[in-house]
Amino acid sequence: PKLAMGMDSQPETETRRALAFRPDPAAKTLLFSLNPRAGSRSRRRQIEEIHAALESAGYLVKTATELGQLTELAEAGRKTGELRAVLALGGDGTACVVRNAVPLEVPLIHVPMGTENLLGRHLGQSTAPAAVCETVQSGVVVSLDLGRANGKYFLLMISAGFDAEVVRLLHENRRGNIRRTVYYRHALSAILGYTYPEMRLYLVANESAEPQTCRW
């Protein structure tokens, strides 16, 4: 199948508004999004501490553990103007799922609690309750462009071939939190059984050109 890719801009860039702006001070509702089956006991305790710190600061904190619930609450908060931000508490995958589940107009704060936390490292967001509170209270909303493949957004990277097969095997067999060592078994399985199918690369800028064929 073809892989359709593109770049989508946040609404702020499309309407040529400021690329960084402060949220409405009257917006006091926060939405937590997390995977209840992932993470250690210490991580759950840390989330509880962040929750308590934000409530002490005067915010109404709601928690969504299912995507349907997350989308519904985010859309309702966006319409009323009460929703300040959605906090994605987890790894890079959690942040990506959340960004796809809520309207782009809703600010996303990634609180990195995954294995690699590539996005969290780039953004420099600490998981300390005081630091999260500071971002919520004093931070500005920054517009970033998104990649899109087959109708879904991705925040960091996209891959195909052998690497994608390892990730597919991992997620199909995932049970709870991911450790780096989990990749070894699935990488070995892919090495032994991957068939390296032919890929066709199409250049969107020149649709009449013949596709490039390759293998990984």
Side-chain angles (χ1 to χ4, degrees), residues 2-203:
K2 287 187 178 180
L3 179 65
M5 296 182 62
M7 294 296 292
D8 271 21
S9 292
Q10 293 277 27
E12 291 78 22
T13 59
E14 290 176 356
T15 55
R16 298 189 181 279
R17 286 189 285 172
L19 296 183
F21 61 92
R22 294 193 180 278
D24 184 353
K28 290 292 186 179
T29 299
L30 299 170
L31 183 55
F32 274 25
S33 178
L34 53 95
N35 183 351
R37 295 181 294 276
S40 61
R41 184 177 302 176
S42 61
R43 176 195 168 212
R44 290 192 290 271
R45 188 183 308 114
Q46 192 173 19
I47 291 174
E48 292 172 358
E49 292 173 353
I50 295 172
H51 189 288
L54 288 168
E55 284 195 330
S56 297
Y59 294 96
L60 173 62
V61 182
K62 301 179 180 180
T63 300
T65 57
E66 296 182 357
L67 286 182
Q69 178 190 26
L70 173 64
T71 302
E72 182 179 340
L73 290 173
E75 181 61 31
R78 182 190 69 82
K79 288 181 178 179
T80 62
E82 298 173 352
L83 183 60
R84 191 178 188 87
V86 173
L87 282 76
L89 300 106
D92 298 317
T94 297
C96 186
V97 168
V98 172
R99 184 69 285 175
N100 276 277
V102 303
L104 292 181
E105 296 90 339
V106 176
L108 171 67
I109 300 176
H110 180 214
V111 183
M113 294 183 173
T115 303
E116 296 297 340
N117 298 314
L118 299 178
L119 181 62
R121 287 189 226 166
H122 174 72
L123 298 175
Q125 176 62 55
S126 169
T127 59
V132 176
C133 278
E134 183 180 1
T135 298
V136 170
Q137 291 179 301
S138 305
V140 296
V141 180
V142 178
S143 299
L144 301 174
D145 288 326
L146 294 172
R148 186 183 63 201
N150 289 349
K152 292 185 178 182
Y153 296 118
F154 61 95
L155 305 181
L156 293 169
M157 65 195 74
I158 188 169
S159 66
F162 179 84
D163 175 67
E165 174 67 2
V166 174
V167 175
R168 183 189 70 82
L169 290 171
L170 185 149
H171 282 282
E172 284 189 352
N173 296 278
R174 177 176 178 174
R175 299 292 183 272
N177 201 30
I178 296 177
R179 298 181 182 276
R180 290 186 179 91
T181 53
V182 176
Y183 284 90
Y184 300 158
R185 176 164 54 91
H186 299 301
L188 179 60
S189 178
I191 289 172
L192 296 176
Y194 190 60
T195 57
Y196 297 94
E198 181 181 272
M199 293 186 289
R200 294 184 299 278
L201 306 180
Y202 294 83
L203 183 62

